[in-house]
Amino acid sequence: MQISICFLIDLLKSRSEIHYIQFIETKDLITMTEFTPLMSLAGGALIGLAAVVLMGLLGRIAGINGILSGLVALPNTSDWAWRAAFVLGLLGSPLAVLMLNGSLPELSVPVSPVMVGAGGVLVGIGTSLGSGCTSGHGVCGIARLSKRSIAATLTFMATALITVFVIRHVIGA
Amino acid sequence: MLKTVSAFAAGLIFGTGILLSGMGNPAKVLNFFDFAGTWDPSLMFVMGGALAVTFIGYRLVFRMKQPVLAASFSLPTKSDLDTKLISGAAIFGIGWGIAGFCPGGLLPVLGYGQTEPFIMLGGILAGMMLVKALTARGGDVSKLGKAARS
């Protein structure tokens, strides 16, 4: 087993030198990011607050994927307006942060545009099939103790972990 | 009107939380998954904070008979695990691990004006429409519609 895995990794590495080097181009972009426990906890609490507000007032799950796909799929229905307003709020949030904070938090994308596009297509397919993303399953669903959401969250966390490992340490090593 | 204003406020709070927490920054998200390299555990705190507030807040909210501005709570009714759910979640995780953006992390950073978030948005919409087109061909639209709304 061990030997076959090593063989597989070697094979991927040797292939990567030929095919993937130009495609990935991330090595010098991968750097440490600052550990921000308090800011992340506070930001997370705000995300939770928004989910509670949306449920308490409108009775809706704050799943970004569901809201987005509803926005694209259902124009001119009564549900359209609140989805559009929620998305407008999301789009306007940098202004709110700028006013609160004086500056915008960093945005750094350590992967090539090709990978961003490919990742985007997979995220679109996966969240549509799986009926949810980090917010819908990971926050709202787990808070409801939904079995489906717990299973979905464990699954996408695991595949994201494996994907990053493979890209950074197997192919990109 | 009140509904629209509330939804806008919720979106604004959500987006502010995303930006402050670091969920909108792919470098940070990918580092969270990189245990073997430049690990940054911050996102554990994002999930912790969000879950703690939602877990308690939902319990208070569900004591009400109905939401303040709507006739009933719209909650997903499915409770069984199925292949579609798990394979979808698996594919989502792969895409998240490749690009570092999830849908919630993406929308608040579109306003930064950088190119990558728009590429990501294009990809997500393309992926969504692909599933919709394939499902429509199979005559399974109602199921997908329900899934998308849940």
Side-chain angles (χ1 to χ4, degrees):
Chain A
M1 188 65 186
Q2 185 93 41
I3 295 165
S4 64
I5 289 174
C6 288
F7 175 72
L8 193 69
I9 289 175
D10 280 345
L11 189 74
L12 279 166
K13 273 185 184 165
S14 63
R15 282 180 61 88
S16 73
E17 277 154 29
I18 310 161
H19 298 287
Y20 301 123
I21 283 290
Q22 285 182 321
F23 172 66
I24 294 183
E25 274 188 319
T26 60
K27 249 183 128 180
D28 36 335
L29 289 168
I30 297 171
T31 48
M32 293 296 287
T33 44
E34 196 194 341
F35 176 47
T36 52
L38 288 179
M39 206 50 146
S40 288
L41 192 69
L46 282 179
I47 295 171
L49 175 68
V52 174
V53 166
L54 202 66
M55 184 60 76
L57 297 181
L58 275 72
R60 293 293 182 153
I61 299 269
I64 305 306
N65 174 67
I67 291 172
L68 197 63
S69 59
L71 198 60
V72 179
L74 305 161
N76 306 321
T77 63
S78 61
D79 272 350
W80 195 82
W82 76 263
R83 289 177 207 262
F86 186 87
V87 168
L88 272 181
L90 285 178
L91 295 176
S93 59
L95 280 174
V97 171
L98 209 54
M99 284 192 283
L100 281 172
N101 215 20
S103 66
L104 283 176
E106 199 194 334
L107 169 60
S108 143
V109 186
V111 294
S112 69
V114 177
M115 285 176 72
V116 172
V121 172
L122 292 176
V123 168
I125 295 173
T127 53
S128 297
L129 287 177
S131 325
C133 54
T134 331
S135 49
H137 282 312
V139 177
C140 300
I142 292 188
R144 291 171 51 240
L145 297 177
S146 149
K147 195 171 81 183
R148 282 171 61 84
S149 290
I150 294 169
T153 306
L154 290 175
T155 306
F156 64 66
M157 285 290 185
T159 55
L161 203 89
I162 295 167
T163 303
V164 171
F165 182 80
V166 169
I167 288 177
R168 290 195 172 179
H169 302 287
V170 180
I171 302 175
Chain B
M1 185 62 198
L2 211 52
K3 262 176 120 166
T4 314
V5 174
S6 316
F8 177 78
L12 205 59
I13 299 171
F14 194 104
T16 304
I18 290 281
L19 293 174
L20 294 181
S21 69
M23 275 302 275
N25 184 8
K28 221 168 159 59
V29 174
L30 293 175
N31 276 353
F32 171 68
F33 290 118
D34 194 6
F35 287 95
T38 51
W39 192 46
D40 175 356
S42 302
L43 292 207
M44 227 155 54
F45 290 78
V46 185
M47 280 300 262
L51 267 178
V53 172
T54 312
F55 193 86
I56 297 166
Y58 268 13
R59 264 137 203 88
L60 298 175
V61 161
F62 290 141
R63 282 189 190 170
M64 301 191 294
K65 273 196 185 126
Q66 60 184 81
V68 178
L69 301 172
S72 63
F73 295 107
S74 307
L75 299 172
T77 47
K78 271 193 198 168
S79 61
D80 293 336
L81 305 182
D82 54 52
T83 326
K84 203 174 141 195
L85 174 82
I86 301 302
S87 55
I91 295 169
F92 163 49
I94 295 171
W96 195 21
I98 291 176
F101 286 111
C102 63
L106 175 70
L107 295 179
V109 297
L110 283 173
Y112 277 53
Q114 279 177 231
T115 341
E116 291 94 339
F118 288 95
I119 299 175
M120 183 76 192
L121 182 66
I124 292 181
L125 294 177
M128 272 180 184
M129 282 178 221
L130 185 73
V131 173
K132 215 177 141 192
L134 291 177
T135 321
R137 197 179 286 176
D140 201 13
V141 193
S142 62
K143 223 174 173 179
L144 182 81
K146 240 182 249 165
R149 277 191 292 276
S150 63

